[in-house]
Amino acid sequence: MDSTGIHKKSNKDFTWNSFSRGERWALAKIYEDNYDDLYLYGIKILGNKDETCDIIQDLFLKLWKNRKNLSKPDNIKAYLLRSLRSLILDYIKVFKKKYQYIELTKLEFQI
């Protein structure tokens, strides 16, 4: 790895460690550095801009609440993308259950 790669890794390590200690600037930095990729990935899976933004917000709220218990990932972006995918899949499961309930309710009223 060249000196630029080492510098970038040490900056990311510093940012994550600062985030873990509760420094809000570090949370903002992680958010700013990764938001665009998270958004594009979320849109590809979910197809809805508003819901994607809401789930990304939920992801960062959960990160902040659990920051003291999280170990530093090898790759922050990959970690965030996996976490987002998991939250989206959970959202889809809940949405399907609600939709099925609504459809069943409609059927009961049509009888």
Side-chain angles (χ1 to χ4, degrees):
M1 188 181 305
D2 64 4
S3 63
T4 306
I6 292 170
H7 182 69
K8 285 181 182 178
K9 181 162 177 40
S10 64
N11 280 344
K12 289 182 180 182
D13 288 345
F14 176 74
T15 301
W16 186 267
N17 291 335
S18 298
F19 160 73
S20 295
R21 289 190 307 270
E23 297 184 33
R24 292 180 187 266
W25 70 264
L27 175 67
K29 175 79 171 136
I30 294 168
Y31 180 88
E32 290 168 7
D33 288 351
N34 295 285
Y35 181 83
D36 290 341
D37 290 328
L38 291 169
Y39 179 78
L40 292 173
Y41 184 65
I43 287 294
K44 283 182 184 178
I45 298 172
L46 202 51
N48 182 294
K49 293 177 183 181
D50 292 334
E51 290 170 353
T52 298
C53 290
D54 288 346
I55 295 171
I56 292 171
Q57 183 178 13
D58 289 344
L59 169 63
F60 280 92
L61 286 171
K62 286 182 181 196
L63 279 176
W64 185 252
K65 287 179 183 177
N66 296 308
R67 68 187 179 278
K68 294 178 183 177
N69 301 322
L70 299 174
S71 57
K72 188 202 166 299
D74 292 330
N75 183 320
I76 295 171
K77 185 179 299 291
Y79 173 77
L80 292 173
L81 290 169
R82 281 191 313 272
S83 299
L84 179 64
R85 181 177 183 273
S86 177
L87 288 175
I88 288 172
L89 293 176
D90 289 345
Y91 173 82
I92 290 170
K93 288 176 192 173
V94 169
F95 181 78
K96 281 184 179 179
K97 285 181 183 177
K98 285 182 182 178
Y99 184 75
Q100 287 172 343
Y101 175 77
I102 291 169
E103 289 300 312
L104 288 173
T105 305
K106 285 181 183 178
L107 288 174
E108 288 175 4
F109 284 113
Q110 291 176 0
I111 296 176

